[in-house]
Amino acid sequence: MRLLDLHDNPQPDSNLLLHFYERLIQPAFPQPDELDDVEDWILALDQTRTGIHPLEPELHVVIVFDESNTQVGGSVWEWYPSPRPNQPGCAFLSYIVSIPKMRGKGIATLLVENMRTALKRKNVATLLAEMHKVGISDGTPMDSTERHHAFQKLGFAPLYFPYIQPPLDSSGNKQTSSDCLLLAHCELLESSQPKVNNQLVVESIVLVEYLDGFCGSVFGFDKRHEFTVTTWYQSMINHLSNKKYIT
């Protein structure tokens, strides 16, 4: 199998991206509230545009092709640069998919390993992801318990703090949600960061920077006032500001 990261081309093939979005992403994520607009991906992948903010997340769309050059899986993840000097930032896995006949064949493991390799080159220790809580459906046939086991096999574990999923756009059409858990990749953390009380931890400031980076990319980095005054943002920041680490 062959992996192609569309970020590697400053102006990637939009037809490849559209095929991936329509044939793999949309069927796997049928709830509109949980799906980015493909136009946002096209814009984010265009590295030749002007006015890119220094804190704008770096989008990676990695597509897996089989021997016949058919798209059989892929992942979408972002690297969030840190506003602190000489800090590596963090990354967030937004989507990971494979076509039905290829499930259980190691595609997700291949994609996560590809992410880990890319992040180690940036010295990034924190790879985050989201997952619905047990008992909450995401609109797909996969049982929520099965989904938890799948993320666990990929090396992710939940972070225990009152996470609220921010909206995917600023129009009000896509709402916040408390149905999800925030996860972190354990092996990446373990290889880069010391344990605290024999537990793997994420620095709270890294999670604050992720929230600020995500919300800045949605609302605009010059419009912080639009999200920093919201109840959902303040509730998370208040919790994180009282702890140095989150386990």
Side-chain angles (χ1 to χ4, degrees):
M1 287 185 282
R2 175 174 66 94
L3 273 65
L4 174 67
D5 188 344
L6 297 186
H7 179 268
D8 292 343
N9 186 338
Q11 285 187 304
D13 186 341
S14 59
N15 289 325
L16 279 177
L17 177 62
L18 288 170
H19 186 280
F20 175 66
Y21 186 87
E22 293 169 358
R23 301 294 179 88
L24 279 80
I25 292 291
Q26 284 184 320
F29 298 91
Q31 294 187 3
D33 282 355
E34 298 178 354
L35 195 58
D36 294 332
D37 294 328
V38 70
E39 292 81 7
D40 292 338
W41 290 1
I42 292 171
L43 180 65
L45 286 168
D46 182 5
Q47 299 169 58
T48 66
R49 60 194 162 92
T50 59
I52 298 177
H53 194 279
L55 293 179
E56 182 176 320
E58 180 182 280
L59 178 67
H60 293 256
V61 178
V62 183
I63 304 174
V64 182
F65 297 86
D66 66 8
E67 293 76 9
S68 64
N69 212 36
T70 299
Q71 295 186 16
V72 295
S75 63
V76 181
W77 60 275
E78 302 89 30
W79 169 60
Y80 287 84
S82 172
R84 293 175 293 155
N86 304 315
Q87 295 298 314
C90 66
F92 185 84
L93 171 60
S94 295
Y95 305 96
I96 188 164
V97 297
S98 61
I99 61 174
K101 72 176 184 179
M102 295 298 289
R103 287 172 189 160
K105 303 248 175 109
I107 286 180
T109 301
L110 179 68
L111 287 162
V112 170
E113 186 57 35
N114 175 264
M115 273 182 278
R116 288 180 56 206
T117 300
L119 293 173
K120 283 180 177 180
R121 286 197 294 265
K122 294 178 179 289
N123 295 318
V124 173
T126 306
L127 170 59
L128 304 171
E130 282 178 344
M131 173 180 65
H132 280 80
K133 296 174 182 176
V134 171
I136 296 178
S137 172
D138 63 353
T140 69
M142 180 179 277
D143 177 75
S144 60
T145 303
E146 182 184 354
R147 189 186 313 111
H148 277 242
H149 289 158
F151 269 103
Q152 186 177 30
K153 284 178 65 178
L154 291 172
F156 289 90
L159 295 172
Y160 293 99
F161 85 104
Y163 176 64
I164 301 172
Q165 182 189 47
L168 294 181
D169 68 33
S170 59
S171 67
N173 294 326
K174 297 179 180 179
Q175 303 298 318
T176 60
S177 172
S178 57
D179 291 344
C180 292
L181 298 171
L182 193 65
L183 317 174
H185 194 274
C186 298
E187 193 170 336
L188 195 60
L189 276 176
E190 192 167 24
S191 66
S192 309
Q193 186 163 303
K195 293 182 179 180
V196 175
N197 297 327
N198 208 34
Q199 289 184 305
L200 290 173
V201 296
V202 176
E203 287 185 282
S204 294
I205 191 171
V206 173
L207 298 180
V208 171
E209 289 176 356
Y210 160 67
L211 291 171
D212 284 349
F214 180 86
C215 294
S217 68
V218 170
F219 290 85
F221 287 98
D222 59 343
K223 297 180 180 179
R224 278 182 53 85
H225 60 281
E226 292 190 8
F227 63 85
T228 55
V229 298
T230 62
T231 303
W232 53 266
Y233 176 85
Q234 291 184 357
S235 68
M236 289 190 284
I237 297 303
N238 288 341
H239 183 88
L240 292 169
S241 64
N242 289 322
K243 296 178 179 289
K244 185 175 182 179
Y245 300 106
I246 298 296
T247 60

